[in-house]
Amino acid sequence: MLGLEPVLASFMMLWNKEYQEHDLVTSSVTTKVKGVALASIPEMGLVVWDVVDHSGLAQGKNSFFVATNVIVTKNQKQGKCPEVAPWGLCKTDKDCQKGFSDQQSHGVQTGPCVKFDVLKKTCEVSAWCPVENRKSPPRPALLASAENFTVLVKNNIRFPAFNYIRRNILPEMTDKDLKGCLYNRYTNPFCPVFRLGDIVHEAKERFSDMAVEGGVIGIQIDWNCDLNRFFHSCLPKYSFRRLDEKESNRTLYPGLNFRFARYSTINGVEHRTLFKVYGIRFDVMVFGKAGKFSIIQLIIYIGSTLSYYALVIIVIFRLVDMVERSQIYPVIVMCKLYFLGKHVVTYIIIVIIHRSLKHKTAEPSSNYNTVFLSTLQYLLCVSFVDEEQLRVNINALIQNGQCNEFKAATALSTEHSGLVTDMPLLEISSSRCPDWCQCGCCHSSASFLEQLCCRKSKGRCITTSSLFPALVLTRSILEIALLYVAPLAEQHKDDQLRQQAYAQYIKWRFGDFTPMDAVPVIPSCCVWRIREQYPSPDGKYSGIIFG
């Protein structure tokens, strides 16, 4: 058994590369977009948009922008004209205030209420006239052919600790290779030239849909490098994802747009053509880590491992002896001692197998330890909608899958934290609306933790509250909560959203911390309302996953 120590230590050392010194990447990114589009734009006719037109404006560090849609307002000049509806609607001059303007105004009000169209009147403003009138972008997008544009992404990286420099244009690439290649995940994964339509497709979006209102796409470059001579590997890996909210009906001001103007002088009067441009911004994000053999790191790992295993061996043998004397099954002890580390559990398993081959396990007697093996005591925390305080139940006991009463050796003080400890035990009912249900929305269940109503007395169910769907069921809120933990996670499924909805309810009704580390219990009506919103494909539910 002791001969396994060097094997385990060597395996962990190789698996985690503990013999290496590591450094994080520093990088710079430059991009070059190529492509020409012929677009039929209202009020302008056929217009050729080249690189200067569709991607000439910088959008920030490590980013580039490509125009995909546009609204044009021609021949504007300084003057007085009606404000656009509905911002400046009026009936008489009294509704217009001279000198007034706000964030939605196109100019400064002059005072009169003038005719806007056949049905409406608006306040006259001093502005660039005529003011921009159209609010929604054209569908389909006028510059949707930008899908075929290409971009060269040049990424130079450096690992300062090793003075190692590299770029994503690999040394073996020639000028001919670079001009002729196009990125493909399977056939050409290291080509730094990307077709914009392929980038959006790799992000699991449709270019034609995204081009209408614009958006933000992330291009992620990962460098995981091994700089050892015999195992040298340092190649880029590309991945793509959408970074903004894509559905218009789920967010205000969707997509991405900005305005610019082209000025001219006609008969001594300055004119301008106003462009409201929609497009896609591509953010290039670089991540990387490099490792290289270090004798110092190897010595530190060997020394810490030897001291660790020497101590663990002594502790584990003593614990196993205690287990055998107390006749408590070893699996219970393994669970309780897991916090000591995964190697501890491994050693316990080895020692138990070794001892079990030499000794026969005695039949457990009918004492307290035997009862403890088939019984788990739960400290439950309950929040009723018709009570202001939380209830903590220390008398609930699950034994062999059923609810029983267990008298605890110590009782919780009723004056501590204002907690109530007299929550009655729940009875299992087989009807559609169980006897213990007070709100009329609960379901029968054989699970003890799902036999709870949201109320102590008859009344309205908490699921009918306007806050319940807003805080617990809204998909966008649940996705944001999940992305807060894992910002680059893949698209969320109903199973993840259902578990997050449980967590949202617990935070809402119990706060961040439950008293005395009690397990918060979600009422049956709330559990089934969440499951109706985010059902399991096979109709089976594993219950709430804590932690």
Side-chain angles (χ1 to χ4, degrees):
M1 178 188 66
L2 297 179
L4 290 176
E5 293 175 22
V7 176
L8 289 173
S10 300
F11 175 78
M12 296 304 300
M13 180 184 68
L14 295 174
W15 180 265
N16 296 321
K17 297 184 177 181
E18 298 289 351
Y19 54 86
Q20 290 186 342
E21 178 186 359
H22 295 95
D23 189 25
L24 298 179
V25 70
T26 59
S27 75
S28 66
V29 174
T30 57
T31 60
K32 187 175 184 179
V33 181
K34 288 187 176 182
V36 179
L38 181 63
S40 178
I41 300 177
E43 301 183 359
M44 295 184 67
L46 288 176
V47 179
V48 174
W49 283 58
D50 60 12
V51 176
V52 177
D53 298 312
H54 60 65
S55 58
L57 297 177
Q59 289 290 307
K61 183 180 179 181
N62 296 351
S63 298
F64 64 94
F65 176 86
V66 175
T68 57
N69 210 355
V70 64
I71 296 175
V72 179
T73 306
K74 289 191 64 178
N75 298 326
Q76 286 186 320
K77 63 180 180 179
Q78 293 280 347
K80 297 178 181 180
C81 53
E83 175 64 284
V84 66
W87 310 119
L89 287 175
C90 62
K91 294 182 179 179
T92 65
D93 292 349
K94 295 181 180 180
D95 298 327
C96 302
Q97 181 181 350
K98 185 176 181 180
F100 174 79
S101 66
D102 61 19
Q103 291 87 345
Q104 305 295 339
S105 301
H106 291 84
V108 180
Q109 292 184 11
T110 61
C113 181
V114 296
K115 186 176 181 179
F116 176 73
D117 57 25
V118 177
L119 301 177
K120 302 182 184 70
K121 296 177 71 177
T122 61
C123 295
E124 184 183 66
V125 292
S126 178
W128 284 93
C129 298
V131 296
E132 183 183 42
N133 189 15
R134 182 166 182 171
K135 297 300 178 183
S136 58
R139 292 178 183 270
L142 300 179
L143 301 172
S145 58
E147 180 177 12
N148 295 314
F149 295 172
T150 60
V151 58
L152 169 63
V153 178
K154 294 183 287 184
N155 176 212
N156 294 275
I157 66 164
R158 182 171 181 263
F159 293 103
F162 310 124
N163 195 26
Y164 182 85
I165 300 174
R166 193 172 180 84
R167 63 176 184 164
N168 64 331
I169 301 178
L170 303 181
E172 60 268 21
M173 287 184 177
T174 64
D175 182 65
K176 182 179 179 180
D177 294 334
L178 195 60
K179 290 181 178 179
C181 77
L182 201 62
Y183 171 84
N184 184 286
R185 176 184 294 187
Y186 304 104
T187 60
N188 207 351
F190 303 118
C191 177
V193 180
F194 304 85
R195 178 176 172 270
L196 300 189
D198 294 338
I199 293 176
V200 175
H201 177 73
E202 288 281 343
K204 301 180 181 178
E205 300 289 341
R206 293 181 58 183
F207 193 94
S208 59
D209 294 338
M210 194 172 182
V212 175
E213 293 178 327
V216 183
I217 292 289
I219 302 175
Q220 182 173 318
I221 307 178
D222 290 300
W223 295 86
N224 291 315
C225 300
D226 189 332
L227 303 184
N228 294 304
R229 178 178 300 179
F230 298 106
F231 303 99
H232 186 278
S233 174
C234 195
L235 296 171
K237 181 179 180 182
Y238 301 97
S239 59
F240 315 89
R241 64 180 297 107
R242 184 165 185 169
L243 302 180
D244 68 312
E245 174 57 68
K246 67 180 180 179
E247 294 189 21
S248 301
N249 62 341
R250 288 169 54 188
T251 181
L252 296 175
Y253 305 106
L256 176 64
N257 64 79
F258 63 92
R259 291 174 175 84
F260 72 92
R262 293 175 180 170
Y263 294 87
S264 62
T265 302
I266 303 176
N267 298 327
V269 179
E270 187 179 35
H271 289 68
R272 77 176 187 183
T273 300
L274 178 65
F275 296 86
K276 183 178 181 180
V277 178
Y278 298 81
I280 303 174
R281 191 182 78 204
F282 296 86
D283 294 341
V284 184
M285 301 170 289
V286 182
F287 305 90
K289 183 179 180 181
K292 193 173 184 180
F293 176 80
S294 171
I295 188 63
I296 296 176
Q297 292 296 324
L298 179 61
I299 293 173
I300 292 175
Y301 177 78
I302 293 175
S304 60
T305 302
L306 291 176
S307 60
Y308 172 80
Y309 278 107
L311 177 62
V312 167
I313 291 173
I314 297 173
V315 173
I316 294 304
F317 270 96
R318 288 187 178 275
L319 289 174
V320 172
D321 288 337
M322 293 172 59
V323 168
E324 291 182 344
R325 288 197 300 268
S326 61
Q327 298 181 353
I328 301 177
Y329 288 132
V331 67
I332 302 296
V333 178
M334 283 191 292
C335 294
K336 297 293 184 181
L337 296 177
Y338 186 76
F339 70 92
L340 290 178
K342 53 189 176 183
H343 300 308
V344 174
V345 178
T346 303
Y347 266 102
I348 291 177
I349 295 174
I350 295 172
V351 173
I352 291 172
I353 295 175
H354 177 74
R355 294 290 182 89
S356 63
L357 293 177
K358 294 184 177 181
H359 307 284
K360 293 184 179 180
T361 303
E363 291 294 327
S365 59
S366 300
N367 55 18
Y368 172 77
N369 291 332
T370 305
V371 176
F372 180 79
L373 293 176
S374 60
T375 307
L376 296 175
Q377 184 176 358
Y378 282 80
L379 189 63
L380 305 179
C381 183
V382 180
S383 174
F384 293 108
V385 72
D386 50 349
E387 288 188 354
E388 295 183 356
Q389 57 194 148
L390 298 178
R391 287 176 171 259
V392 174
N393 177 23
I394 61 173
N395 296 328
L397 200 68
I398 306 298
Q399 184 173 12
N400 298 326
Q402 296 183 357
C403 172
N404 298 288
E405 186 173 358
F406 180 82
K407 300 300 182 182
T410 60
L412 183 65
S413 172
T414 57
E415 297 179 359
H416 182 267
S417 300
L419 302 175
V420 180
T421 61
D422 59 348
M423 186 183 76
L425 294 175
L426 304 173
E427 299 294 333
I428 298 177
S429 174
S430 59
S431 62
R432 177 64 175 80
C433 187
D435 296 335
W436 43 263
C437 177
Q438 302 295 327
C439 66
C441 298
C442 298
H443 292 212
S444 298
S445 175
S447 172
F448 171 71
L449 292 180
E450 292 185 13
Q451 299 177 40
L452 178 72
C453 185
C454 66
R455 304 182 60 90
K456 282 292 293 180
S457 58
K458 295 289 184 180
R460 180 183 170 191
C461 182
I462 192 174
T463 60
T464 63
S465 166
S466 60
L467 277 179
F468 186 88
L471 296 177
V472 180
L473 302 180
T474 304
R475 179 180 287 268
S476 59
I477 292 180
L478 300 179
E479 290 180 343
I480 289 173
L482 288 169
L483 286 175
Y484 182 82
V485 178
L488 299 180
E490 295 298 328
Q491 188 173 6
H492 301 108
K493 299 180 180 179
D494 282 354
D495 289 342
Q496 294 173 287
L497 296 173
R498 183 170 61 254
Q499 290 295 332
Q500 185 59 39
Y502 294 148
Q504 290 288 101
Y505 180 88
I506 292 172
K507 290 181 180 178
W508 175 34
R509 297 296 300 160
F510 295 89
D512 293 333
F513 300 96
T514 54
M516 300 179 61
D517 295 329
V519 176
V521 183
I522 302 179
S524 171
C525 48
C526 300
V527 170
W528 285 101
R529 179 64 185 90
I530 293 172
R531 290 174 178 177
E532 290 172 1
Q533 184 75 15
Y534 302 104
S536 171
D538 56 5
K540 298 180 180 180
Y541 299 92
S542 60
I544 305 168
I545 301 174
F546 295 97

